[in-house]
Amino acid sequence: MTTVRRLTEDMINRIAAGEVVERPASVVKELVENAIDAGAKRVEIVTAGGGASLIRVTDDGGGMTHDDLGLAIDRHCTSKLTDDLLDIRTLGFRGEALASIGAVARLSIASRHASEPHGWEIVVEGGLVHPPRPAGLNSGTRVEVTDLFFSTPARLKFLKGERAESSAITDIVKRLAMAHPEVRFSLAGSDRGAIDYPVAHGDEPFVERLGQILSQDFVDNSLAIEAEREGVRLSGYAGLPTYNRANGLQQFLFVNGRPVRDKLLMGALRAGYADVMSRDRHPVAALRIDLEPHGVDVNVHPAKSDVRFRDPGLVRGLIVGALRNAIHQAGHRSATTGGGATIAAFRTGAPSSSTAWRPSAPMPSFGNTAAAPSWRDWATTPAPQFSEAAQPAFAAVSQPSADARANAVAANDPTDRPLGAARAQVHENYIIAQTDHGIVIVDQHAAHERLVYERLKTALARSGVARQILLIPDVIDLPEDDVARLLKRADELAELGLAIESFGPGAVAVRETPALLGELDTRSLLVDLADDLAEWDDTTRLKEKLDHVAATMACHGSVRSGRRLRPEEMDALLREMEATPGSGQCNHGRPTYVELKLADIERLFGRR
Ligand code: ADP
Ligand code: MG
């Protein structure tokens, strides 16, 4: 028979500690938060053994009196919370960090409050409290944590090794330091290189701190973000689309001065870049949300890095809108940054010219080139019409209509066209074309992806999408959450040409796909769509997200690099690009082609 018994205080603390103190970095986070809450202007952190053998945090904040010190290490003792759990203006409020740390490590706190003649030190070892002793120290607090998890060896085994733990600590310190440029932070120890972030004194402390933490390069390659809606303020910096990373580690999000890793915010950040960045790349950004404390609940998890907004739609909309706006306004700048480096590398030894190697301007600008026929003339030339029959996507491009064939015959060698006459394909992905004034290099995959995207959007807007029926339905195993998400939107997906149905738990059957996409890897398409759906809220109609869904689909339905093209296929691709507005950049914001003027080629060879 089981009997119900009350847990001892020690057990309760150890259980709670499991949630608060997951790894050494969590200890650093809690101690530094306490220092910031205490009004410190300077916080020094020292670690050893990845934080497992030593963490010492020293601050020059308000300190604690003898009596406060005795209480502070008890669970549920805090000086920060009033009766209103929704009026939180400090980083801490749960009153459990020090008690939790004391339960799983050796904790010593020395502190001096201005009202007392000397300081006091208290020691807790695996939950056992020793009475306070007088200690000599200036005002402020020094907390030392040694032998973390010595009383819970199971946890110790889960630690990742000194390097990983030490870098997790660095990450936490960076995030807190970024949120508080008014405080000086230093981090040192035998397990790391030293870091020092002096107080930023200029007009824009946040930018200065970003420069210290993320490098000046980020500041130079980012866009200032500033927006406000209904009392929610968004500010910060977001990297240019071309300044991206392979993972999301360089995304720094803050809510009321608190670093958070919030799904809603990360989703909004991603959505803001969705149209200009491929899904396997990640933007770099440091964004702050500030709002009235009642607008956000931070008491979601003991680690306090999740938040719930009272109006999540407002916050998401604010972020997505502001990012899109900023990116849109900087549209051309994003394209040139990457190009500049290429030119520099390319033009070794040659006199440099800023006009030399021009990444593609958006297509309509061709109309401004006096020597070339107006772009609009080309745009009104009938575009080659491709059948939407069930065949591999690119086959469509390779079969120009009678009209296009007639054009091709008339302009047998179409060097007078904006994108010229295809001369060669190199590295199985780049089409080299000759124009009257130079050469054009086209990224065939990027270009084709954009064309499929535009065609898909047009088809959807006009009459709905032609579908192809799969002779044998594709059965795709997916996590149950994803299956549920996809099936919930099955009707909408069907409108967009993708017919799926339930195939038992953890699987869906794909019966029809949009014909335009040709032969597909249906599995990876569904995985990506499920990802998209997870980010959007249940009330968003997919039709409203059409551009995004179309981009996701286009990405899966495009000719990959590595396919050899026949000359007439290449020319057909160039002609279709000319006839398609917005085809100058791919869905990820990269140019689809670059042009090198003859004059610039001559300059490269010192002929001019
Ligand atoms: P919380 O931060 O949620 O209040 P903690 O267990 O982290 O809970 O700290 C308990 C209390 O100890 C705090 O409310 C604060 O009054 C005091 N305290 C902790 N660290 C410091 C510090 N570095 N300087 C001054 N007071 C501190
Ligand atoms: Mg605290």
Side-chain angles (χ1 to χ4, degrees):
M1 199 184 84
T2 54
T3 47
V4 176
R5 60 197 175 86
R6 194 171 295 280
L7 293 173
T8 61
E9 187 72 11
D10 179 49
M11 266 318 272
I12 294 173
N13 282 342
R14 274 200 270 161
I15 290 170
E19 289 176 319
V20 181
V21 187
E22 197 197 327
R23 59 195 297 192
S26 352
V27 173
V28 173
K29 171 176 170 295
E30 295 295 336
L31 298 182
V32 174
E33 285 184 357
N34 281 347
I36 295 170
D37 283 345
K41 288 285 156 238
R42 179 165 190 165
V43 180
E44 267 176 39
I45 306 131
V46 174
T47 64
S53 41
L54 168 74
I55 293 168
R56 184 166 58 230
V57 177
T58 312
D59 71 63
D60 62 355
M64 285 173 270
T65 60
H66 171 274
D67 294 354
D68 281 351
L69 190 55
L71 269 180
I73 43 124
D74 277 354
R75 207 152 73 91
H76 307 313
C77 289
T78 176
S79 56
K80 300 170 191 174
L81 197 58
T82 58
D83 293 345
D84 188 354
L85 239 184
L86 281 176
D87 188 24
I88 289 166
R89 293 166 193 273
T90 45
L91 294 169
F93 59 89
R94 301 174 57 104
E96 48 184 16
L98 294 182
S100 299
I101 296 166
V104 296
R106 291 182 228 279
L107 165 69
S108 125
I109 310 174
S111 191
R112 178 169 166 200
H113 192 265
S115 65
E116 302 204 339
H118 60 80
W120 293 92
E121 175 167 11
I122 196 165
V123 172
V124 189
E125 286 177 294
L128 188 76
V129 184
H130 302 273
R133 290 184 312 224
L137 109 154
N138 294 327
S139 63
T141 303
R142 183 185 65 230
V143 183
E144 207 169 89
V145 177
T146 47
D147 298 329
L148 183 60
F149 297 135
F150 84 96
S151 59
T152 48
R155 256 305 154 90
L156 202 53
K157 283 198 205 118
F158 281 103
L159 293 190
K160 285 197 180 124
E162 183 171 313
R163 253 244 192 100
E165 297 301 338
S166 144
S167 80
I169 290 173
T170 311
D171 184 62
I172 287 282
V173 172
K174 282 185 178 171
R175 284 171 196 273
L176 284 159
M178 207 180 274
H180 297 275
E182 76 285 0
V183 180
R184 173 172 192 164
F185 289 86
S186 65
L187 172 60
S190 56
D191 55 351
R192 63 179 62 256
I195 287 180
D196 188 16
Y197 302 134
V199 174
H201 286 295
D203 296 345
E204 293 188 90
F206 186 56
V207 191
E208 257 182 73
R209 191 44 66 85
L210 285 181
Q212 295 167 356
I213 297 176
L214 291 179
S215 81
Q216 188 57 34
D217 208 34
F218 168 70
V219 177
D220 294 343
N221 283 288
S222 61
L223 306 164
I225 305 291
E226 201 75 57
E228 181 160 0
R229 210 185 283 172
E230 292 170 44
V232 182
R233 193 166 166 261
L234 169 70
S235 60
Y237 289 81
L240 290 169
T242 42
Y243 188 83
N244 53 43
R245 289 283 177 280
N247 58 45
L249 291 178
Q250 302 270 56
Q251 297 172 356
F252 301 85
L253 302 166
F254 308 98
V255 176
N256 289 347
R258 179 190 306 280
V260 295
R261 288 190 183 278
D262 187 73
K263 236 186 129 190
L264 172 105
L265 298 179
M266 303 211 287
L269 177 58
R270 185 165 156 185
Y273 282 84
D275 233 22
V276 290
M277 196 174 286
S278 89
R279 5 185 78 254
D280 55 350
R281 302 300 298 177
H282 301 259
V284 180
L287 297 175
R288 303 186 290 188
I289 304 267
D290 289 285
L291 72 173
E292 195 268 318
H294 280 88
V296 59
D297 185 358
V298 288
N299 186 27
V300 177
H301 183 268
K304 301 168 290 183
S305 52
D306 273 326
V307 291
R308 296 272 183 283
F309 291 100
R310 202 174 54 195
D311 189 346
L314 170 77
V315 176
R316 188 188 152 90
L318 178 69
I319 298 175
V320 176
L323 288 172
R324 291 213 172 135
N325 235 340
I327 293 168
H328 181 75
Q329 280 171 12
H332 196 59
R333 193 179 149 208
S334 55
T336 49
T337 310
T342 317
I343 303 161
F346 191 56
R347 314 190 92 248
T348 42
S352 73
S353 147
S354 58
T355 57
W357 189 221
R358 195 176 307 134
S360 64
M363 293 300 257
S365 73
F366 264 106
N368 302 331
T369 313
S374 155
W375 178 256
R376 258 164 232 102
D377 295 347
W378 293 117
T380 53
T381 311
Q385 294 300 306
F386 302 128
S387 79
E388 292 182 7
Q391 49 188 326
F394 206 80
V397 176
S398 69
Q399 292 170 9
S401 67
D403 261 1
R405 273 196 298 272
N407 274 342
V409 174
N412 208 355
D413 196 34
T415 55
D416 59 341
R417 296 283 189 131
L419 293 182
R423 289 286 185 253
Q425 183 196 30
V426 296
H427 294 288
E428 259 118 54
N429 185 50
Y430 299 99
I431 298 169
I432 314 277
Q434 179 179 339
T435 64
D436 285 347
H437 309 281
I439 61 173
V440 163
I441 305 177
V442 176
D443 177 336
Q444 84 184 32
H445 171 63
H448 191 250
E449 184 173 321
R450 189 71 195 189
L451 296 179
V452 171
Y453 172 65
E454 294 294 341
R455 273 190 260 160
L456 202 56
K457 277 204 300 188
T458 318
L460 289 170
R462 219 192 299 131
S463 53
V465 189
R467 311 164 176 199
Q468 59 188 353
I469 298 170
L470 303 185
L471 290 179
I472 305 162
D474 260 351
V475 175
I476 317 269
D477 293 325
L478 289 169
E480 279 184 37
D481 290 0
D482 285 350
V483 170
R485 257 181 221 122
L486 288 163
L487 289 176
K488 215 162 133 196
R489 304 298 192 108
D491 290 348
E492 289 175 83
L493 288 170
E495 269 179 68
L496 303 174
L498 186 68
I500 57 170
E501 52 194 53
S502 166
F503 201 85
V508 292
V510 182
R511 302 206 166 269
E512 292 169 359
T513 58
L516 259 176
L517 299 185
E519 252 172 69
L520 273 178
D521 177 351
T522 39
R523 185 189 154 73
S524 63
L525 173 63
L526 288 191
V527 168
D528 282 353
L529 285 172
D531 267 3
D532 290 345
L533 293 176
E535 267 179 25
W536 300 336
D537 74 64
D538 281 355
T539 54
T540 327
R541 295 258 306 122
L542 281 188
K543 272 259 164 108
E544 290 166 25
K545 293 281 182 189
L546 194 65
D547 286 1
H548 192 94
V549 177
T552 301
M553 289 188 174
C555 187
H556 286 272
S558 306
V559 142
R560 297 285 155 191
S561 44
R563 185 177 173 302
R564 273 191 182 287
L565 299 183
R566 294 192 305 273
E568 50 299 0
E569 287 178 317
M570 293 193 271
D571 275 327
L573 183 70
L574 299 181
R575 300 293 81 80
E576 197 189 356
M577 283 173 73
E578 289 164 356
T580 307
S583 64
Q585 61 173 358
C586 76
N587 307 337
H588 311 138
R590 296 186 297 268
T592 52
Y593 71 93
V594 292
E595 186 181 16
L596 190 56
K597 296 273 184 225
L598 199 52
D600 293 322
I601 299 175
E602 287 169 349
R603 218 172 275 132
L604 279 172
F605 288 100
R607 282 169 169 270
R608 282 190 170 217

